[in-house]
Amino acid sequence: MVSFETFLQPNLSVPKKSSGMMGYDVPEGVDIRGRYDPEFYKILTRDALQFVADLQREFRNHIKYAMECRKEAKVRYNNGGLPGFDPATKYIRDGEWVCAPVPQAVADRRVEITGPVARKMVINALNSGAKIFMADFEDALSPSWENLMRGHVNLRDAVNGTITFHDQARNKVYKLNDQIAKLFVRPRGWHLPEAHIFIDGEPVTGCLVDFGLYFFHNYANFRKTQGQGFGPFFYLPKMEHSREARIWNNVFERAEKWAGIEKGSIRATVLIETLPAVFQMNEILYELRDHSVGLNCGRWDYIFSYVKTFQAHPDRLLPDRVLVGMGQHFMRSYSDLLIHTCHKRGVHAMGGMAAQIPIRDDPAANEVALELVRKDKLREVMAGHDGTWAAHPGLIPACMEVFTNNMSNAPNQIHSMKRQDASVLVEEDLLQRPRGVRTMEGLRLNTRVGIQYLAAWLTGAGSVPLYNLMEDAATAEISRVQNWQWLKYGVELDGDGLGVKVTMGLFGRVVEEEMARIEREVGKEKFKKGMYKEACKLFTRQCTAPVLDDFLTLDAYNNIVVHQPIGFSRL
Ligand SMILES: CC(=O)SCCNC(=O)CCNC(=O)[C@H](O)C(C)(C)COP(=O)(O)OP(=O)(O)OC[C@H]1O[C@@H](n2cnc3c(N)ncnc32)[C@H](O)[C@@H]1OP(=O)(O)O
Ligand SMILES: O=CC(=O)O
Ligand SMILES: [Mg+2]
């Protein structure tokens, strides 16, 4: 029987090219519901789709199980439990194993630029002078069908070396320099579906599409031109447990076998950006020991995860977002233990992202921002990190200088900075409550940043400059969950000295006033044309939900799914 939903969302995939109709040539059980485009057709080939479908079929139950385990862990934390080291895997933490040697091609990772997979950004990032470019399908990308598919076209052309871009307005042509950064690709997290591709009647797992299509089209060229026989290289986000790393390891082995390349060719750096994962760093490296090139301090998602993990612990509320920096004991402990763990296992310990970006129209403010970045990078290199992230090409020289001047001409500090002192860090260090005050301005800033970020995301921009800082999905999550937490527990804004409590009434007024401020700041015309009202509705709903949503972007995703020829999918 044909369901009403099917009637609303016609399945447009045309299985046979020979039918003469325009459509994708899909293998059995695969259904493309995204727009047809001749360029996308070259990415969504029958063989590439078969490769993705095989991955989905082999791993979907493992992924579902891992997501169920996340839910179980959440129930434990919500019942008062704390994350901690697992006694069952003590033998891994205490063992004397190391990861496979780091390939020469990625030994030096002093500065890595990150950015979405938009065409001009890809060229600029590869030309930026950074050692690595992390091309992002995750925090920095709004995963619309257009963004994703164009992203794959862009990466294919980048790996081929043929990528160009003509900026018509400025009559400027972009192309690759002779010397370019090495490419890493960050697929989405395990939790996100890709609703434009169905396999056996279900939306496929988003990260298997991101990984699968990129690997399928690029592994051979990449290994020849960039990886010196290794690769492709990946960043893996938002994992909570080593069982999730084991799935990635199995995906890599499956892909290597399919391609007929040696086990250990693919390499990946895992972001430690959830609180539960900090207790699993050895275990994660162990699972990926043939494929690892280190761990990275994904500080923004980590802060988000601290709130999420402790959503039912009113004794662990965050102070203002701007006060939760790397100087907080729990954050410093996380970075120190990550460095110790990585270097003990012979791989890179990467630093994270300072949110400052260049401020073009105010040289004094620009210098202050640059100084903050330098300070953050100095802390990282002195602590023992082997490299760091930059959000903008304008920050690369400063970051490079700090790392180069403090690493004694070596490509990394893996063997020189063991940080044995960090081996004594215990659970209390990693969970210590952040210190600081809560203010009305903190509540206001969360609200206007959260709404403006979502408004951009809904119109296709996954990373944006707001108030001279880089904002992306991870930083916006902090704004959302912090508002939710303050509302849920009716916290007192103790930094203002007025004893004001956060209530629904207060929040409602703040939302109205901040919307008015946004309108003044962006101008009436842009405000009317933009998605600010929709963003406000979504953000407000999430901040006031009785039960905290796991991810801002899961809910928001329903608004950017466009099935052909019309209509929206609701998952
Ligand atoms: C928490 C995390 O996950 S962090 C990692 C994910 N987040 C990111 O990757 C954010 C990356 N950064 C960005 O997206 C951008 O820098 C933004 C949105 C913050 C600011 O971008 P813009 O407003 O375009 O910056 P601005 O106007 O100063 O850009 C100047 C030039 O630098 C380029 N540029 C800026 N950032 C980048 C970047 N990350 N990569 C490549 N090029 C960049 C712009 O394309 C522009 O190029 P052009 O002069 O040829 O036109
Ligand atoms: O992905 C990085 C983060 O800080 O989050
Ligand atoms: Mg992140």
Side-chain angles (χ1 to χ4, degrees):
M1 199 176 77
V2 180
S3 73
F4 183 57
E5 194 195 60
T6 320
F7 177 68
L8 284 177
Q9 297 157 8
N11 169 3
L12 275 201
S13 68
V14 180
K16 294 279 171 282
K17 249 194 324 192
S18 57
S19 69
M21 290 173 69
M22 238 180 14
Y24 297 103
D25 178 17
V26 295
E28 185 73 31
V30 177
D31 192 6
I32 306 283
R33 301 192 181 180
R35 184 177 74 79
Y36 176 84
D37 185 291
E39 276 304 305
F40 302 173
Y41 181 85
K42 293 181 198 151
I43 298 295
L44 296 165
T45 61
R46 191 182 175 89
D47 289 346
L49 288 169
Q50 185 65 58
F51 181 63
V52 173
D54 288 346
L55 291 177
Q56 174 73 8
R57 288 178 180 134
E58 186 162 341
F59 295 107
R60 61 187 161 201
N61 289 337
H62 301 264
I63 299 166
K64 280 180 190 159
Y65 174 70
M67 296 305 100
E68 282 305 310
C69 292
R70 282 190 188 180
K71 284 189 199 150
E72 271 177 26
K74 181 163 97 171
V75 171
R76 276 201 310 279
Y77 306 142
N78 284 356
N79 286 331
L82 301 176
F85 294 106
D86 183 353
T89 47
K90 186 170 185 303
Y91 73 99
I92 295 178
R93 293 192 295 282
D94 291 348
E96 282 307 317
W97 53 273
V98 287
C99 295
V102 169
Q104 193 50 38
V106 285
D108 184 349
R109 303 172 65 181
R110 271 171 287 172
V111 182
E112 302 186 335
I113 190 167
T114 69
V117 286
R119 200 160 180 90
K120 186 178 80 171
M121 292 284 255
V122 168
I123 302 173
N124 279 343
L126 287 169
N127 287 343
S128 67
K131 300 287 176 189
I132 308 282
F133 165 42
M134 187 200 75
D136 202 4
F137 285 100
E138 215 246 341
D139 285 338
L141 192 83
S142 167
S144 66
W145 180 243
E146 302 297 311
N147 281 350
L148 290 168
M149 288 304 120
R150 291 197 190 290
H152 281 290
V153 171
N154 299 340
L155 293 185
R156 179 204 58 197
D157 295 350
V159 174
N160 284 344
T162 58
I163 190 168
T164 58
F165 175 73
H166 184 198
D167 181 340
Q168 309 256 354
R170 288 148 81 191
N171 196 22
K172 182 173 172 186
V173 176
Y174 292 76
K175 58 185 178 56
L176 293 180
N177 294 341
D178 293 336
Q179 281 271 344
I180 56 167
K182 293 254 154 54
L183 189 61
F184 274 57
V185 170
R186 178 162 72 168
R188 283 168 280 182
W190 284 124
H191 59 285
L192 285 170
E194 175 44 63
H196 300 93
I197 302 180
F198 275 58
I199 291 177
D200 303 332
E202 281 184 334
V204 58
T205 308
C207 60
L208 293 183
V209 176
D210 305 338
F211 167 82
L213 294 178
Y214 174 69
F215 181 86
F216 181 91
H217 289 292
N218 299 294
Y219 79 89
N221 256 343
F222 184 91
R223 289 158 56 75
K224 252 189 272 155
T225 58
Q226 286 217 16
Q228 298 165 15
F230 282 89
F233 303 130
F234 296 91
Y235 255 106
L236 304 177
K238 291 189 178 52
M239 286 197 262
E240 297 190 7
H241 195 277
S242 56
R243 72 173 70 85
E244 301 174 25
R246 187 181 315 145
I247 306 176
W248 270 120
N249 195 65
N250 291 340
V251 168
F252 292 165
E253 286 187 3
R254 175 77 172 70
E256 287 164 345
K257 206 166 156 199
W258 171 87
I261 59 179
E262 230 175 282
K263 177 167 149 180
S265 294
I266 299 174
R267 292 302 177 103
T269 297
V270 172
L271 287 132
I272 299 299
E273 54 180 356
T274 67
L275 192 63
V278 82
F279 301 100
Q280 292 268 319
M281 292 193 292
N282 278 292
E283 290 84 340
I284 287 171
L285 285 178
Y286 187 74
E287 292 296 346
L288 281 158
R289 61 195 178 280
D290 295 325
H291 293 105
S292 177
V293 275
L295 303 176
N296 169 298
C297 275
R299 64 176 78 166
W300 301 104
D301 267 310
Y302 193 73
I303 298 167
F304 157 49
S305 175
Y306 187 93
V307 178
K308 194 158 86 167
T309 307
F310 291 133
Q311 59 186 273
H313 296 232
D315 56 331
R316 290 179 184 275
L317 304 177
L318 246 56
D320 277 3
R321 184 186 133 170
V322 292
L323 300 177
V324 192
M326 296 306 295
Q328 295 275 0
H329 183 79
F330 82 110
M331 295 297 280
R332 208 175 39 240
S333 305
Y334 140 67
S335 150
D336 289 347
L337 189 60
L338 183 142
I339 295 163
H340 169 67
T341 308
C342 288
H343 290 182
K344 184 170 174 194
R345 307 307 178 188
V347 286
H348 291 88
M350 300 303 297
M353 185 67 93
Q356 290 77 20
I357 47 177
I359 306 171
R360 248 171 305 172
D361 50 2
D362 185 342
N366 188 46
E367 192 38 50
V368 173
L370 260 180
E371 200 42 43
L372 286 171
V373 173
R374 280 192 205 103
K375 232 173 117 185
D376 184 59
K377 301 309 137 195
L378 188 62
R379 175 194 55 75
E380 288 185 332
V381 69
M382 299 313 280
H385 279 296
D386 301 292
T388 193
W389 276 11
H392 190 288
L395 302 172
I396 291 173
C399 298
M400 195 67 89
E401 191 183 323
V402 174
F403 267 82
T404 304
N405 289 348
N406 292 284
M407 287 209 318
S408 334
N409 279 334
N412 57 59
Q413 315 194 77
I414 296 173
H415 302 292
S416 55
M417 279 286 248
K418 290 295 181 192
R419 288 304 307 269
Q420 210 49 47
D421 57 313
S423 66
V424 299
L425 289 166
V426 290
E427 287 165 350
E428 285 75 15
D429 293 300
L430 297 158
L431 299 177
Q432 197 193 78
R433 290 164 180 76
R435 304 215 166 109
V437 293
R438 290 177 274 276
T439 66
M440 183 66 103
E441 181 46 26
L443 181 67
R444 287 188 178 285
L445 188 64
N446 280 341
T447 305
R448 65 176 178 275
V449 164
I451 292 172
Q452 289 183 84
Y453 176 74
L454 256 185
W457 195 93
L458 291 172
T459 48
S463 54
V464 284
L466 285 174
Y467 308 108
N468 298 327
L469 296 178
M470 178 278 304
E471 297 287 344
D472 68 5
T475 61
E477 283 284 28
I478 302 173
S479 295
R480 170 185 73 104
V481 293
Q482 182 161 63
N483 277 8
W484 178 89
Q485 180 190 58
W486 290 5
L487 263 167
K488 165 107 180 154
Y489 297 109
V491 301
E492 183 184 327
L493 299 175
D494 52 354
D496 298 324
L498 299 172
V500 174
K501 284 207 159 57
V502 180
T503 59
M504 286 291 184
L506 176 75
F507 182 58
R509 279 205 308 282
V510 165
V511 169
E512 271 177 32
E513 287 166 16
E514 292 309 316
M515 280 293 276
R517 176 170 170 173
I518 294 169
E519 185 173 12
R520 280 197 306 279
E521 286 178 356
V522 305
K524 273 194 184 327
E525 199 56 27
K526 182 170 172 198
F527 189 81
K528 211 165 85 197
K529 282 201 194 129
M531 299 277 282
Y532 295 94
K533 288 196 178 132
E534 292 81 352
C536 180
K537 208 165 140 193
L538 256 169
F539 186 73
T540 309
R541 194 201 66 68
Q542 291 227 347
C543 292
T544 56
V547 178
L548 183 67
D549 277 21
D550 285 343
F551 291 98
L552 173 64
T553 48
L554 251 181
D555 185 22
Y557 184 54
N558 287 311
N559 295 270
I560 61 167
V561 172
V562 183
H563 284 181
Q564 283 298 304
I566 45 161
F568 292 96
S569 145
R570 302 220 59 96
L571 292 176

